[in-house]
């Protein structure tokens, strides 16, 4: 099957077949990351610009490493060191980047829809590395790759996602991706952090109590409270949040004994997850990070071939 998406703007636009192809491609690339010489010539001559206007450790580094391992010229700009601080608009920044003839722009931006805005205005491929509270497609794909590795298949999995669902682009992308692949999703969090009508996004059930959400779950995904996106206080205190919605040694026993614990990072230890759990036997958090490189290699590779496929 050929991949026919020039841009990766969100999981919303991907079919189950697209997701399957991305995961299979990532799996085939993963082996490169354990070689002595971690480099193949696949994207030699391609230029990738990683434009991060919001803080990032995992996504920025893994897109950069992914590009380099495929032999692309991978360069970075950040909001704080670009001319954005002098008042340049996103469109002007992108047009100037485009004048240097990149093949792909990977963008993280605080405003939902920024990657879509750019995709309509520049000629190269755009990959969304997280836009506001909207989507974080590469995160959801690496999450699914990790679930598939540990559970064999995604279809039929009971996946609990707990935390600040309203402000989480990770939750939205995972809900789209898990729904496409036939998983059942349970959401839990304080009422102030669960958007009205979220059940309509797929096979989604909302719980007010973390214990009900994680009971017999195959996967427990914990999310950070996105204080930077909250315009007003939605919590009495972090201590109270940890008491009712934090995953710990005791409440994790409610999940299936072979359940895996996931977190997209960065974690707030002692708030949404205890150190006992985040460092415990059921955690696959660093597997997620490892798979992030392979998934991003797959995305860079797949969008790079689309112009040729569409011209056929
Ligand atoms: N999961 C994630 O997006 O992490 P970073 O913010 O460090 O990229």
């Amino acid at each position: 099957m050929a991949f026919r998406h020039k841009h990766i703007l969100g999981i919303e636009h991907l079919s189950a077949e697209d997701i399957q192809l991305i995961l299979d491609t990532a799996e085939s690339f993963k082996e490169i990351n354990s070689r002595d010489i971690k480099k193949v010539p696949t994207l030699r001559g391609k230029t990738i610009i990683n434009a991060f206007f919001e803080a990032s450790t995992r996504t920025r580094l893994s897109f950069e490493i992914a590009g380099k391992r495929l032999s692309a010229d991978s360069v970075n700009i950040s909001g704080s060191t670009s001319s954005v601080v002098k008042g340049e608009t996103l469109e002007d920044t992108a047009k100037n980047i485009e004048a240097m003839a990149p093949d792909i722009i990977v963008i993280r931006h605080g405003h939902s829809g920024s990657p879509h805005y750019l995709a309509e205005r520049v000629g190269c491929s755009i990959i969304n590395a997280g836009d506001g509270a909207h989507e974080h497609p590469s995160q959801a794909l690496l999450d699914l790759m990790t679930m598939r590795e540990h559970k064999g298949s995604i279809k039929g999995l009971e996946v609990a996602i707990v935390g600040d669902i309203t402000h989480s682009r990770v939750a939205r992308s995972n809900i789209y991706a898990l729904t496409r692949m036939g998983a059942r999703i349970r959401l839990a969090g304080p009422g102030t952090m669960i958007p009205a009508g979220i059940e309509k996004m797929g096979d989604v059930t909302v719980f007010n109590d973390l214990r009900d959400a994680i009971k017999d779950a195959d996967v427990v995904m914990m999310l950070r409270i996105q204080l930077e996106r909250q315009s007003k206080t939605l919590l009495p205190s972090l201590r109270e949040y940890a008491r009712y919605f934090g995953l710990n040694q005791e409440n994790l026993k409610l999940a299936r004994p072979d359940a895996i614990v996931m977190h997209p990072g960065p974690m707030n230890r002692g708030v949404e997850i205890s150190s006992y759990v985040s460092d415990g036997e059921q955690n696959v958090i660093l597997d997620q990070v490892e798979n992030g490189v392979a998934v991003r290699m797959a995305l860079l590779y797949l969008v790079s071939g689309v112009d040729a496929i569409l011209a056929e």
Side-chain angles (χ1 to χ4, degrees):
M1 182 197 147
F3 193 71
R4 293 185 171 271
H5 298 273
K6 177 169 178 162
H7 310 291
I8 305 288
L9 303 178
I11 302 287
E12 188 178 4
H13 310 288
L14 300 180
S15 65
E17 291 73 28
D18 292 327
I19 294 172
Q20 188 80 34
L21 178 62
I22 294 166
L23 299 186
D24 291 346
T25 307
E27 203 174 287
S28 70
F29 277 135
K30 186 169 173 174
E31 169 270 325
I32 296 166
N33 297 323
S34 53
R35 291 183 191 171
D36 282 346
I37 297 177
K38 303 173 182 61
K39 213 174 190 54
V40 290
T42 314
L43 294 186
R44 192 162 52 200
K46 300 282 185 189
T47 302
I48 300 165
I49 301 206
N50 299 309
F52 277 66
F53 298 98
E54 267 194 342
S56 170
T57 298
R58 283 148 287 266
T59 314
R60 189 180 63 77
L61 269 179
S62 58
F63 265 115
E64 186 178 355
I65 289 170
K68 288 185 192 308
R69 292 205 174 149
L70 295 173
S71 299
D73 296 310
S74 212
V75 291
N76 301 325
I77 59 164
S78 68
S80 60
T81 56
S82 73
S83 288
V84 168
V85 293
K86 300 176 197 162
E88 189 166 58
T89 64
L90 178 62
E91 182 172 1
D92 283 336
T93 302
K95 291 269 185 207
N96 280 272
I97 292 173
E98 199 191 19
M100 299 176 217
D103 298 285
I104 303 172
I105 299 175
V106 177
I107 178 167
R108 169 169 288 193
H109 201 284
H111 288 149
S112 298
S114 308
H116 310 66
Y117 179 85
L118 284 193
E120 288 168 6
R121 287 165 176 78
V122 299
C124 66
S125 290
I126 301 290
I127 298 182
N128 180 1
D131 63 324
H134 177 230
E135 278 224 46
H136 192 347
S138 60
Q139 178 68 46
L141 291 162
L142 72 88
D143 291 339
L144 265 68
M145 181 176 178
T146 308
M147 289 180 211
R148 197 172 79 162
E149 268 180 7
H150 284 272
K151 296 289 164 193
S153 162
I154 294 158
K155 192 173 169 56
L157 286 181
E158 294 282 348
V159 181
I161 306 178
V162 181
D164 180 3
I165 308 296
T166 299
H167 300 96
S168 175
R169 53 197 178 201
V170 175
R172 288 177 69 84
S173 287
N174 263 292
I175 293 169
Y176 283 127
L178 289 166
T179 297
R180 296 275 193 290
M181 302 309 280
R184 286 188 289 272
I185 302 146
R186 299 117 168 250
L187 302 178
T192 49
M193 296 186 189
I194 305 277
I198 189 108
E199 294 95 333
K200 296 191 191 109
M201 280 184 74
D203 192 345
V204 176
T205 310
V206 173
F207 296 88
N208 297 319
D209 191 323
L210 163 130
R211 290 168 302 182
D212 295 332
I214 66 177
K215 188 167 179 345
D216 297 325
D218 299 292
V219 178
V220 181
M221 183 185 295
M222 302 307 292
L223 301 175
R224 182 176 67 89
I225 303 169
Q226 311 250 322
L227 290 173
E228 72 275 24
R229 297 192 208 289
Q230 296 180 7
S231 52
K232 57 183 181 193
T233 308
L234 300 176
L235 286 175
S237 71
L238 289 181
R239 183 184 293 209
E240 194 156 326
Y241 180 85
R243 184 166 163 211
Y244 290 105
F245 291 101
L247 188 65
N248 56 44
Q249 186 180 358
E250 280 313 307
N251 55 29
L252 179 58
K253 287 179 188 154
L254 293 165
R256 288 176 55 99
D258 61 350
I260 55 172
V261 174
M262 306 181 75
H263 195 304
M267 284 187 288
N268 289 131
R269 287 170 182 264
V271 181
E272 72 272 14
I273 191 164
S274 73
S275 284
Y276 184 92
V277 173
S278 65
D279 301 335
E281 282 181 4
Q282 288 169 268
N283 106 77
V284 297
I285 295 166
L286 293 181
D287 294 1
Q288 293 173 261
V289 178
E290 181 184 355
N291 286 336
V293 177
V295 157
R296 287 159 181 142
M297 288 167 85
L299 293 177
L300 295 173
Y301 166 72
L302 289 168
V303 299
S304 292
V306 166
D307 278 342
I309 290 164
L310 295 180
E312 275 171 9

